[in-house]
Amino acid sequence: MNDRKLHVVNMAHQLFIEKGFQATSIQDILDYSGISKGTFYNYFSSKSELLIAIYKTIYKKLEKDRNDLLIGQNPSSIEIFIKQVELQMISNRKNKLLALYEEVLASNDADLKQYIQRARLNSLRWYYNRFIDIFGEDKKPFLLDCAIMFQGIIQYNIQYNRMAHESGEKVSSVVRYCVARMVKMVDEVAESGEQLIEPKTLEKWVPGCQQNNHEILTQLVKVALTLRALITKNIQDVEEQNKYNELLDFIQEEIIHTRSPRKFLIQSALTSLKQNPASLWKKELGQLDELIEAFYSSMEAEDTNP
């Protein structure tokens, strides 16, 4: 998205927050953003497509911010998950997403409703995958049910807490309360052995959805942690350790923080890592290589998926 188009997206978002989506006309957007009607339709086919672009911009930033929290951290950490959920709740409040959701659901726009439904399913998918990171594969059969329950618990606790406190909801305390309930809930559901919905159902709800960037980056962090442990274990020379760790740092930084990750530089760093003594981490480097390819495939598919 070029700077001018992004400017229109940001200006329209402000108008939708102040006036509401339905009450804002295309002429309002033209006047507020200082563009012509021709320029608008060069960027967007309709006001609904513009709203979808706003959602995508918000979600992309949220995804980046959540992934930033995983850098150098263990994905199974409850504290990291709490911070990620806090980011999401703060983003929802800042961008007035609840009000925009309600307007969309009250409209007759089928495309917008479909997009919102897809976005909610993607959010559920994120919770489900993070639960696997936290609670492990052995509890996986029960984690979609738990993710569905948690999605409802966090949404309504945030909503009613906001109503109860005029000065604004206490996001951190609400998130921690909900996560604490969720931890006990997962243990209880797994112990009972009861299952309402099989996890494979999620793939039916999001047909043709490729492995999303969160899943890829979470796995990349895991592989990087394993590689760092192998480096420490097998390389005695501190300078050599630092060299390999710096290569791993570069790959993670390039993928997570760069708007257009430079594949040739990442491949160059991978080649340097593969020159380690006796191929001490050949298996893990193969996994890293596959994840990087999956990441680029996901980027290419991004424009075709909400």
Side-chain angles (χ1 to χ4, degrees):
M1 189 180 295
N2 62 46
D3 291 342
R4 195 175 183 193
K5 185 175 181 179
L6 184 60
H7 170 74
V8 177
V9 167
N10 291 334
M11 293 298 100
H13 187 197
Q14 290 181 29
L15 281 175
F16 293 163
I17 289 173
E18 294 169 7
K19 299 181 63 174
F21 173 70
Q22 300 293 348
T24 300
S25 67
I26 289 180
Q27 189 60 50
D28 291 332
I29 297 169
L30 302 183
D31 294 341
Y32 197 58
S33 58
I35 61 168
S36 67
K37 184 176 288 188
T39 299
F40 177 90
Y41 283 108
N42 184 47
Y43 292 150
F44 312 102
S45 63
S46 65
K47 192 171 67 168
S48 295
E49 186 178 318
L50 170 55
L51 181 57
I52 289 174
I54 291 171
Y55 282 133
K56 286 185 176 181
T57 301
I58 293 168
Y59 294 149
K60 196 165 188 177
K61 183 179 187 308
L62 174 63
E63 183 180 27
K64 177 186 178 301
D65 290 344
R66 287 190 307 204
N67 287 331
D68 283 350
L69 290 172
L70 283 171
I71 296 176
Q73 302 295 328
N74 189 332
S76 67
S77 167
I78 284 284
E79 283 300 314
I80 296 301
F81 176 70
I82 287 172
K83 290 178 181 178
Q84 288 178 313
V85 177
E86 287 177 0
L87 273 178
Q88 181 174 338
M89 297 304 111
I90 291 169
S91 174
N92 289 351
R93 179 182 60 183
K94 175 184 175 183
N95 294 296
K96 308 293 185 185
L97 290 191
L98 181 59
L100 289 175
Y101 284 155
E102 290 174 347
E103 277 207 79
V104 168
L105 295 176
S107 74
N108 295 318
D109 193 313
D111 289 340
L112 273 179
K113 287 183 177 181
Q114 183 180 31
Y115 181 84
I116 292 300
Q117 178 66 13
R118 183 69 175 262
R120 287 180 169 176
L121 288 172
N122 282 335
S123 178
L124 177 63
R125 184 186 179 93
W126 182 82
Y127 283 130
Y128 169 67
N129 284 305
R130 289 296 285 119
F131 282 10
I132 295 173
D133 293 337
I134 295 165
F135 300 107
E137 291 285 335
D138 59 321
K139 293 180 179 176
K140 186 175 179 178
F142 314 103
L143 294 182
L144 178 57
D145 288 338
C146 293
I148 291 169
M149 288 188 281
F150 182 73
Q151 196 173 42
I153 289 169
I154 192 73
Q155 176 185 338
Y156 286 107
N157 270 291
I158 287 285
Q159 182 178 336
Y160 288 119
N161 195 268
R162 183 184 299 123
M163 291 171 60
H165 298 90
E166 294 182 1
S167 59
E169 79 276 19
K170 300 176 181 178
V171 171
S172 180
S173 60
V174 175
V175 170
R176 286 187 176 276
Y177 174 88
C178 293
V179 170
R181 307 287 79 73
M182 176 267 295
V183 170
K184 293 186 177 182
M185 178 176 67
V186 169
D187 290 337
E188 181 183 338
V189 171
E191 186 177 347
S192 73
E194 294 179 315
Q195 183 190 69
L196 286 176
I197 303 174
E198 293 185 4
K200 64 182 181 182
T201 307
L202 193 55
E203 296 303 321
K204 296 179 182 178
W205 289 345
V206 193
C209 181
Q210 295 196 14
Q211 188 180 34
N212 63 30
N213 280 352
H214 161 72
E215 297 170 65
I216 295 168
L217 292 174
T218 298
Q219 290 181 45
L220 189 146
V221 169
K222 287 181 180 178
V223 172
L225 284 171
T226 303
L227 280 166
R228 292 180 198 281
L230 288 170
I231 289 168
T232 301
K233 179 181 178 181
N234 294 290
I235 305 296
Q236 303 302 318
D237 186 272
V238 176
E239 289 188 7
E240 282 290 296
Q241 288 183 11
N242 290 339
K243 181 182 77 172
Y244 290 125
N245 280 319
E246 284 172 6
L247 289 168
L248 281 173
D249 288 339
F250 171 78
I251 291 172
Q252 284 186 260
E253 290 288 326
E254 185 72 13
I255 288 177
I256 294 173
H257 289 295
T258 306
R259 178 176 294 181
S260 300
R262 296 161 292 183
K263 192 172 183 178
F264 70 97
L265 290 179
I266 293 172
Q267 291 297 337
S268 176
L270 270 174
T271 300
S272 297
L273 280 168
K274 290 174 182 176
Q275 294 172 354
N276 65 84
S279 298
L280 294 171
W281 41 81
K282 184 178 180 180
K283 175 185 173 183
E284 288 74 15
L285 284 176
Q287 293 172 342
L288 187 62
D289 209 349
E290 289 177 3
L291 288 169
I292 290 169
E293 287 302 319
F295 172 78
Y296 278 101
S297 295
S298 178
M299 284 184 66
E300 291 170 3
E302 193 173 76
D303 290 338
T304 62
N305 288 316

